[in-house]
């Protein structure tokens, strides 16, 4: 769950992540595939946007990723994350393994879906000041309009925007003083 929220990835992309997709030198994940339902079970296919993309792996989850890489042995094709029985992760497996329904009910947020972790991750990146065109690339969206639908600033960010605008306008309203005149004496 933490990996999904921190990378703003789709659950199918998390399931499709392989050890070789992670660059631990630059801490970049190259998203190349997703796991999706298909006749006969789950299958891997290309990303929804039909092209690979780069996603940063933030410091806070690097120990988790490093531990998963070590537990996968040095097999580059090993999945970074698997279900409780070692299989591919689906949204149903994720829901059951994390007790999603019980957790969100206990928090009073029964309306939350697992895909909302993607909205959360993109909003966190936007709140951190990441420009919209970079967010679009990280999300793998074809248009900025799609990316904007994922952003949900909280009240603090909206209030901070108002404070920033007030500070900017107060500089413009400040009385302008004339430079001190120099008196010449003879």
């Amino acid at each position: 769950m933490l990996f999904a929220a921190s990378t703003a990835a789709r659950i199918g992309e998390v399931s499709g992540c392989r050890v070789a997709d992670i660059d631990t030198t630059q801490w970049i994940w190259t998203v190349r595939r997703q796991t999706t339902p298909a006749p006969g079970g789950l299958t891997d296919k290309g990303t929804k946007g039909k092209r690979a993309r780069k996603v940063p792996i933030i410091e806070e989850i690097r120990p988790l990723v490093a531990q998963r890489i070590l537990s996968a042995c040095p097999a580059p094709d090993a999945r970074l994350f698997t279900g409780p029985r070692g299989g591919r992760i689906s949204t149903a497996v994720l829901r059951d393994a994390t007790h999603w329904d019980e957790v969100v009910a206990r928090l009073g947020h029964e309306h939350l879906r697992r895909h909302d972790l993607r909205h959360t991750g993109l909003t966190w990146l936007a709140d951190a000041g990441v420009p919209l065109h970079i967010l679009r690339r990280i999300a793998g969206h074809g248009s900025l309009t799609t990316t904007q639908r994922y952003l949900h600033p909280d009240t603090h960010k909206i209030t901070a925007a108002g404070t920033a605008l007030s500070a900017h306008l107060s500089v413009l309203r400040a009385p302008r003083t004339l430079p001190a005149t120099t008196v010449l004496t003879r």
Side-chain angles (χ1 to χ4, degrees):
M1 304 304 280
L2 184 59
F3 184 82
S6 298
T7 59
R10 297 173 181 94
I11 299 306
E13 294 168 342
V14 173
S15 181
C17 181
R18 305 286 170 81
V19 169
D21 296 335
I22 306 293
D23 173 352
T24 57
T25 303
Q26 295 184 334
W27 289 103
I28 298 285
W29 170 27
T30 303
V31 182
R32 294 184 168 92
R33 73 193 67 73
Q34 64 180 336
T35 301
T36 60
L42 296 171
T43 187
D44 285 344
K45 66 178 194 175
T47 63
K48 187 174 178 182
K50 308 287 188 248
R51 58 188 171 296
R53 68 180 193 277
K54 307 279 188 194
V55 174
I57 298 176
I58 63 172
E59 251 182 80
E60 290 77 3
I61 64 168
R62 290 176 188 172
L64 164 72
V65 172
Q67 182 270 325
R68 298 300 305 162
I69 290 171
L70 288 174
S71 69
C73 300
D77 286 335
R79 292 180 183 281
L80 194 65
F81 297 100
T82 58
R85 292 185 224 139
R88 294 176 181 161
I89 297 172
S90 66
T91 55
V93 166
L94 188 64
R95 180 192 62 233
D96 295 344
T98 61
H99 307 284
W100 181 271
D101 295 332
E102 297 86 16
V103 169
V104 296
R106 198 172 335 122
L107 293 171
H109 297 289
E110 296 84 0
H111 63 283
L112 288 178
R113 304 161 300 147
R114 282 153 306 285
H115 189 71
D116 291 333
L117 296 172
R118 183 164 162 79
H119 290 248
T120 298
L122 288 170
T123 299
W124 285 346
L125 287 162
D127 287 350
V130 176
L132 189 58
H133 70 286
I134 302 295
L135 290 175
R136 183 187 68 78
R137 295 280 305 268
I138 290 170
H141 290 147
S143 76
L144 293 173
T145 303
T146 303
T147 304
Q148 287 174 312
R149 287 195 303 250
Y150 277 76
L151 306 181
H152 312 284
D154 65 16
T155 304
H156 293 52
K157 290 296 178 180
I158 292 169
T159 303
T163 302
L165 179 57
S166 290
H168 175 73
L169 293 175
S170 71
V171 169
L172 296 177
R173 288 189 302 252
R176 299 181 193 246
T177 58
L178 296 173
T181 56
T182 308
V183 178
L184 295 175
T185 56
R186 291 192 180 210

